Amino acid sequence: MPDTRTICYYAMYVIGEVETHWNWQGINYNDPITVGIMQWYGTRAAALLIRLKNEDSADYEKIAQSLKDSLNAHGQDDRYWNTRYLTQEEGESVAAAFESDQSHTIQEEQAISDFEGYISTIEGWGLSQDNPKPLIFAMSMYHQSPKYAGEVVATAGGSATLDRIYQVCLNNGVLGQYKNRYTTVYNRLNEWDGESMPPDFGQNGGAGSGEGGENSGTQE
């Protein structure tokens, strides 16, 4: 059985693939501020940028002044961020700030912190780290939409296999619209030995080589 950190890194691997094809500098201009390999959105994106400011001021200095002004004026929990779109200049500046290894480490640490929270919630729904494949599949759904992830897990049950939770997901009226996304996640998990760290996807905390991906997602 893998430990929690391995589960978090494997979740980072499969979610990073479907969100950005493992692009640490990923920027989405079609929705309010959405940035990084995990496509952190709205208030979560603001929290990541504030973390960059506090932990890596050199990279933070690359961010456009207009976006810095917004970060100074609005706290990370301000709902303002859920309607605040990036300009092209601001997006390019965030991508530049996310180029370094140090900024990758910050994104990894933020993802692990997020995923530990996901695990705690999903374990409360009945899934377990003792059965990591359906757990990580549920984490991938939770990352896109906690509400619909909860619906799928409630229907699939706490003892669901990977096949069972995948099929229930595809039958969900919302998440089922993202068949390619969840088939990619399913295939990665189905091929995994259930214990190993993921291959190399540009992270600072694993080893190997990776491939594949699709970008889509919404938080509800």
Side-chain angles (χ1 to χ4, degrees):
M1 182 184 76
D3 60 19
T4 300
R5 192 168 186 86
T6 300
I7 289 172
C8 287
Y9 266 105
Y10 213 86
M12 201 183 308
Y13 172 57
V14 299
I15 297 171
E17 178 173 15
V18 296
E19 287 291 353
T20 61
H21 200 89
W22 305 298
N23 181 2
W24 299 89
Q25 298 167 273
I27 307 295
N28 177 11
Y29 295 100
N30 296 321
D31 295 314
I33 183 170
T34 305
V35 301
I37 189 174
M38 293 292 116
Q39 292 291 271
W40 284 277
Y41 163 81
T43 55
R44 299 172 73 212
L48 179 66
L49 293 175
I50 290 171
R51 183 168 187 162
L52 185 73
K53 177 182 180 180
N54 293 335
E55 298 182 22
D56 184 9
S57 58
D59 282 320
Y60 183 77
E61 285 306 310
K62 299 175 184 177
I63 291 177
Q65 188 60 50
S66 57
L67 182 53
K68 289 181 187 174
D69 290 344
S70 292
L71 289 162
N72 289 332
H74 300 275
Q76 67 183 43
D77 297 322
D78 192 329
R79 303 297 291 179
Y80 161 85
W81 294 109
N82 292 345
T83 59
R84 185 5 172 127
Y85 285 78
L86 291 177
T87 67
Q88 188 74 28
E89 178 189 7
E90 289 169 344
E92 290 173 358
S93 74
V94 172
F98 283 162
E99 184 176 7
S100 72
D101 283 348
Q102 175 63 17
S103 71
H104 291 186
T105 296
I106 289 170
Q107 290 192 53
E108 287 178 39
E109 291 174 349
Q110 185 61 55
I112 289 169
S113 176
D114 290 348
F115 294 162
E116 287 174 344
Y118 295 3
I119 289 170
S120 178
T121 297
I122 293 167
E123 285 183 322
W125 295 345
L127 295 178
S128 170
Q129 294 183 64
D130 292 340
N131 195 7
K133 293 185 180 185
L135 174 69
I136 294 174
F137 191 93
M139 291 166 69
S140 75
M141 294 188 295
Y142 193 94
H143 187 77
Q144 185 180 26
S145 174
K147 174 183 175 181
Y148 296 112
E151 290 181 3
V152 170
V153 174
T155 299
S159 60
T161 62
L162 176 61
D163 285 348
R164 165 71 174 162
I165 201 167
Y166 170 60
Q167 290 301 327
V168 174
C169 173
L170 295 188
N171 288 332
N172 182 268
V174 175
L175 298 185
Q177 298 176 38
Y178 299 91
K179 182 177 180 179
N180 289 345
R181 177 187 179 97
Y182 288 108
T183 298
T184 297
V185 172
Y186 169 81
N187 287 338
R188 289 291 180 192
L189 291 170
N190 196 44
E191 295 163 359
W192 182 39
D193 64 11
E195 296 183 356
S196 300
M197 273 286 206
D200 180 8
F201 57 97
Q203 77 277 30
N204 294 327
S209 62
E211 55 184 331
E214 175 196 348
N215 182 4
S216 64
T218 180
Q219 283 283 327
E220 294 188 35

